[in-house]
Amino acid sequence: MNYKVKLPSGERYTFIKSTLSARNLYTVCEEAHCPNIAECWESGTATFMIMGSNCSRGCRFCAVTHGRMLPLDPMEPEKVYESVKMMNLDYVVITSVDRDDLPDKGSSHFAAVIRRLKDLKIKIEVLIPDFSGVHKFIDKIIDERPDVIAHNIETVRRLTKTVRDPRAGYDQSLNVLRYVKSRSNIITKSSIMLGLGETDDEVIETLHDLHDAGVDIVTIGQYLRPTKKQLEVKEYSPMERFKNLEESAYSIGFSFVASGPLVRTSYRAAEAFVKGGFKND
């Protein structure tokens, strides 16, 4: 099954692309060859990955590189700030690699990036690692009060050990999301991939688990194998399956659901904020 998307275009997309290239700046949107790049950039949304290009974990669905973990760039908060300001974004998503090599798992650095972006008065969504489930590290993110805190469950319970790094866990991810909600009223979000051998019943069970953990927004997308080094796709799900699961998620009680083959975690992020009926404190 082939999923098709229009070639990137649009006045705002073209401006951002040319300006970033001129300044040697890059976004996750470009580096990951996201199929939704033009749609998001035209709507004023972009995603940045911080804390380096090498991840300390080896999830079997992910193409992020591994290797020697480099020191954090102390100027990164300022660099991200300047990039977001230059792009004239309305909504920014900040994500990162895992940094298990650092004493605080990189939580202080992540928090510093959020803190710097607060000066821009824009909506800030963060897609965080689990920080090994340590509450004091998660607190650093919560205390900066981003508009949305996302952490991905990725797959159903049965497949977690096959799909994710051994240091990640189904219950650990749920506990991270549950803890964020227990300590704040910040909007929470998670994402599930289809196509790894999961059943609809298992996906619905996962949706219930996420909702019970207080998650407000969920995205459901198709797993697409990045390279031959990653897990094979077991099934390309038809649109009907995505639609049925979207309906199930809404019936469970989520405030906003994005479900479709090309949906990624930050897809329609700003729309989710608005249509979910969320407001700032």
Side-chain angles (χ1 to χ4, degrees):
M1 181 180 296
N2 291 321
Y3 300 120
K4 296 181 179 181
V5 64
K6 293 181 180 180
L7 289 174
S9 63
E11 184 177 345
R12 190 171 191 174
Y13 167 82
T14 303
F15 168 75
I16 292 173
K17 177 74 174 176
S18 61
T19 308
L20 287 176
S21 297
R23 300 191 182 193
N24 294 317
L25 298 172
Y26 302 93
T27 64
V28 173
C29 318
E30 297 170 288
E31 297 299 290
H33 305 290
C34 180
N36 308 307
I37 183 170
E39 183 179 353
C40 289
W41 283 13
E42 284 293 317
S43 70
T45 301
T47 301
F48 293 82
M49 186 170 74
I50 62 173
M51 299 203 291
S53 59
N54 288 339
C55 186
S56 61
R57 297 189 185 180
C59 295
R60 297 185 64 205
F61 67 89
C62 183
V64 173
T65 56
H66 310 280
R68 187 165 66 93
M69 307 306 293
L70 299 175
L72 296 175
D73 179 1
M75 292 303 298
E76 189 163 50
E78 187 64 26
K79 290 177 180 177
V80 174
Y81 169 85
E82 291 297 336
S83 297
V84 172
K85 183 178 180 181
M86 179 276 300
M87 293 171 74
N88 193 29
L89 298 174
D90 305 306
Y91 196 107
V92 65
V93 181
I94 304 298
T95 188
S96 76
V97 294
D98 282 280
R99 292 300 303 259
D100 296 297
D101 58 305
L102 300 173
D104 72 346
K105 315 301 179 185
S107 55
S108 296
H109 185 84
F110 206 131
V113 173
I114 303 170
R115 191 178 312 123
R116 185 67 183 97
L117 290 174
K118 284 285 187 175
D119 287 347
L120 293 175
K121 310 299 183 184
I122 62 173
K123 294 291 186 295
I124 302 170
E125 177 174 317
V126 296
L127 173 58
I128 62 172
D130 60 27
F131 298 121
S132 296
V134 179
H135 288 177
K136 65 180 179 180
F137 300 154
I138 302 170
D139 283 338
K140 293 179 184 292
I141 307 301
I142 296 171
D143 291 345
E144 295 302 328
R145 303 294 302 176
D147 295 284
V148 179
I149 295 180
H151 174 69
N152 289 345
I153 195 81
E154 307 292 9
T155 190
V156 300
R157 182 184 293 276
R158 175 176 59 86
L159 297 175
T160 295
K161 290 184 179 179
T162 301
V163 173
R164 302 177 70 188
D165 185 276
R167 285 164 287 184
Y170 186 89
D171 288 310
Q172 180 159 282
S173 288
L174 288 175
N175 288 336
V176 167
L177 292 160
R178 185 177 294 109
Y179 180 70
V180 171
K181 213 61 173 180
S182 73
R183 269 222 55 224
S184 72
N185 61 352
I186 295 172
I187 301 158
T188 51
K189 179 178 182 180
S190 196
S191 184
I192 306 170
M193 297 178 291
L194 303 185
L196 291 163
E198 71 292 325
T199 67
D200 285 359
D201 285 345
E202 287 177 316
V203 175
I204 291 171
E205 178 184 20
T206 301
L207 290 170
H208 277 289
D209 288 342
L210 289 171
H211 187 259
D212 289 346
V215 173
D216 301 292
I217 300 170
V218 67
T219 64
I220 305 170
Q222 171 70 45
Y223 167 65
L224 298 175
R225 191 182 194 187
T227 74
K228 291 183 178 180
K229 295 180 180 179
Q230 280 75 46
L231 292 168
E232 293 184 11
V233 177
K234 299 293 186 182
E235 176 188 14
Y236 290 99
S237 300
M239 282 301 302
E240 183 181 8
R241 187 185 189 200
F242 287 103
K243 182 62 177 176
N244 290 340
L245 288 171
E246 177 180 326
E247 291 174 356
S248 294
Y250 273 121
S251 69
I252 288 169
F254 290 96
S255 298
F256 187 87
V257 183
S259 180
L262 298 179
V263 168
R264 300 296 179 262
T265 305
S266 57
Y267 179 63
R268 293 165 65 189
E271 181 182 346
F273 190 91
V274 174
K275 288 191 174 179
F278 304 114
K279 298 179 180 179
N280 291 327
D281 293 343

